[in-house]
């Protein structure tokens, strides 16, 4: 009955309506596919190891035997430093990191030691004691440095208060550079 009424008022009939509906559906499908493609390929993953991504959380023991997680520092800017005692550039920048931490309590300096490449935790402890380091030194025996794709030492990740990676720096930094990258000037 409906088709008879439609054919009476639409001279070309039902077939023309089906073509129009099919065309509208195809256009809608194309728009949906383009939007999905745009959304998937223009936004970065929420968690990752690139600038603009939320740094992956991890938990490690500190030199003092306590458990510490990266998420413990949420709400503070973080200077996340990957280092080793046998790395001469690392030795050079550690005093600057200590000074920075003492001068700016609003930021967190977190040093992740590549412990699986050390002679042992005792070596790390002696190193930290010799430089009077007070910031947390995390013992990495599980490969967090590999999770962060650390290829050279030192490598530093600058995180904002939400844990999002703002900058990645491979190599030694001066205190002035650290302050600049943390926005403390």
């Amino acid at each position: 009955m409906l088709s008879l009424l439609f054919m009476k008022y639409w001279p070309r009939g039902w077939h023309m309506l089906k073509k129009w509906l099919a065309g509208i559906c195809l256009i809608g499908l194309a728009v949906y596919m383009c939007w999905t493609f745009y959304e998937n390929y223009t936004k970065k993953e929420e968690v990752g190891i690139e600038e603009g991504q939320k740094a992956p959380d991890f938990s490690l023991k500190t030199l003092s035997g306590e458990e510490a997680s990266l998420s413990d520092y949420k709400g503070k800017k973080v200077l996340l430093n990957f280092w080793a005692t046998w790395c001469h550039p690392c030795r050079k920048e550690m005093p600057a990191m200590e000074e920075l931490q003492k001068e700016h309590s609003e930021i967190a300096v977190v040093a992740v030691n590549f412990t699986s490449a050390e002679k042992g935790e005792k070596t790390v402890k002696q190193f930290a004691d010799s430089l009077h380091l007070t910031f947390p030194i995390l013992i990495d025996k599980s490969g967090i440095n590999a999770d962060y794709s650390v290829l050279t030492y030192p490598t530093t990740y600058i995180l904002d208060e939400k844990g999002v990676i703002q900058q990645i720096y491979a190599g030694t930094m001066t205190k002035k550079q650290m302050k600049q990258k943390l926005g403390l000037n």
Side-chain angles (χ1 to χ4, degrees):
M1 170 103 173
L2 184 61
S3 63
L4 289 174
L5 283 172
F6 181 75
M7 288 177 64
K8 180 178 178 184
Y9 295 107
W10 188 297
R12 296 187 184 166
W14 186 249
H15 298 298
M16 191 63 165
L17 178 63
K18 287 197 279 186
K19 287 182 181 180
W20 272 91
L21 288 175
I24 290 170
C25 286
L26 284 173
I27 290 170
L29 183 61
V31 168
Y32 175 75
M33 288 174 50
C34 289
W35 180 257
T36 302
F37 179 80
Y38 172 79
E39 284 289 309
N40 287 333
Y41 291 100
T42 58
K43 69 178 182 180
K44 292 189 177 190
E45 292 179 30
E46 189 173 314
V47 176
I49 57 168
E50 296 178 20
E51 291 179 6
Q53 295 179 320
K54 185 172 172 56
D57 195 19
F58 57 84
S59 293
L60 296 170
K61 295 242 184 246
T62 64
L63 270 179
S64 58
E66 300 166 6
E67 190 79 18
S69 297
L70 184 59
S71 57
D72 294 343
Y73 305 100
K74 192 172 186 178
K76 287 188 169 191
K77 289 183 179 181
V78 177
L79 185 140
L80 177 61
N81 182 267
F82 291 89
W83 68 285
T85 61
W86 43 262
C87 161
H88 293 291
C90 299
R91 289 176 178 263
K92 187 176 176 183
E93 79 177 352
M94 284 288 168
M97 290 168 48
E98 180 64 26
E99 287 177 27
L100 182 75
Q101 182 65 82
K102 284 183 177 178
E103 292 173 11
H104 297 278
S105 60
E106 73 274 16
I107 61 118
V109 172
V110 180
V112 178
N113 177 261
F114 185 28
T115 313
S116 57
E118 300 281 2
K119 291 179 183 174
E121 282 184 48
K122 187 176 181 180
T123 305
V124 180
K125 176 95 171 106
Q126 289 170 343
F127 175 86
D129 290 346
S130 72
L131 293 176
H132 309 288
L133 301 177
T134 60
F135 53 80
I137 296 178
L138 307 181
I139 303 301
D140 182 15
K141 294 180 182 177
S142 60
I144 298 302
N145 58 31
D147 293 346
Y148 274 76
S149 296
V150 175
L151 300 174
T152 63
Y153 294 95
T155 294
T156 303
Y157 285 75
I158 304 295
L159 312 179
D160 69 10
E161 294 86 346
K162 295 178 182 174
V164 175
I165 300 167
Q166 299 301 307
Q167 291 185 12
I168 303 168
Y169 189 85
T172 308
M173 284 195 289
T174 63
K175 186 170 93 173
K176 182 178 179 181
Q177 288 172 311
M178 291 175 198
K179 287 175 73 172
Q180 179 186 20
K181 292 186 182 306
L182 287 162
L184 300 173
N185 292 332

